[in-house]
Amino acid sequence: EFVFQSPVGTVEDRQNSYQFELTPTVEETFLVSEWRRYQDWAWRSYGPASDESRLAEEKNEKSSSGSYNGVGYYVYQAISNWMVYHFHDTSASAPMRRSEIVEDNVKLRSDARNIAPFLLRLRNEYPNFYQEIVDAIRLVIPFFDDFNLTVIKSGEREKVRLGWYQKGSDFPMQPYHLSDGSIRFICLATALLQPVPPSTIVIDEPELGLHPEALSLLAELVRSAAKRTQVILATQSPALVNYFSIEDIIVVSRKEGASTFTRLKEADFSVWLEDYSIGDLWQKNVIAGGIAYE
């Protein structure tokens, strides 16, 4: 669980807690103060404030007895495996449309620049997951048949790019034949259906460029992925939130110069929800998430 109340943040699991505080400096940077706690122990400082987090130094922290891993180990393992995906750049020169070396296939990069070698690895090592991705794409792009992930020699390296085939044709389609919405959905499906997901997946505005009918499938993929890992979506789409329950939603609003995070409760909106959708309540500002004037 991650709790942020500017400028203090707290990371908690069942036993371990980590807290940090950011303090602005005259040099327009931040000083980071950090504390950790195990179960019911008191908060203990990592030391004086510094320019960088000390978590990387504390990732091998042991308990006072040395018999088990300390808080720093568990917090580092959790946070270092978070992944924030931004699939906004789908231009003709976007990294996801270009070739990438085949060795860059361990994890899907934040901008999907290595989606071709990543999918090639899934096809070879996780064929069932690869097929789930292909099947999901076919539901949104009916003319899509399969990927064409041909490895080509480029100087001293081998590279692969996101080629594909159209149903009823053996012509090798290229990445530039995919629309912005199509290639963005391919990236979303790959991120949400990957066999070994990050401990937390964060996707910024996943609805951008998608056909309205694709939103229902996107929501289904998110709910499925949420059974295996934590998924956080940042969205401004009333249409997308309609596919989730009211208690799935955390409203971020600005108050007294800071961002506040409020989880909604169904009991507070039960009467409204008899006649209106969640998106309707957002647009009517019953769910207060609109522009705040100060």
Side-chain angles (χ1 to χ4, degrees), residues 9 15 17 21 26 29 32 38 79 84-85 89 101 122 132 134 137 141 152 182 191 197 220 227 253 276:
Q15 294 182 322
S17 299
E21 180 176 356
V26 293
T29 59
V32 185
Y38 177 76
I79 296 178
V84 180
Y85 291 114
D89 183 8
I101 58 174
L122 297 191
E132 285 186 19
V134 170
I137 293 168
I141 314 172
I152 57 174
S182 294
E220 184 178 334
K227 296 177 181 178
S253 55
Y276 298 98

Side-chain angles (χ1 to χ4, degrees), residues 230-242:
Q230 179 173 239
V231 181
I232 301 174
L233 306 181
T235 181
Q236 300 183 68
S237 170
L240 180 58
V241 300
N242 279 335

Side-chain angles (χ1 to χ4, degrees), residues 107-131:
K107 64 179 181 180
L108 182 65
R109 300 289 181 183
S110 62
D111 59 357
R113 66 176 57 242
N114 68 329
I115 188 169
F118 185 73
L119 283 169
L120 179 60
R121 174 172 169 256
L122 297 191
R123 189 177 70 183
N124 294 334
E125 299 180 16
Y126 300 91
N128 292 339
F129 286 90
Y130 174 84
Q131 191 59 50

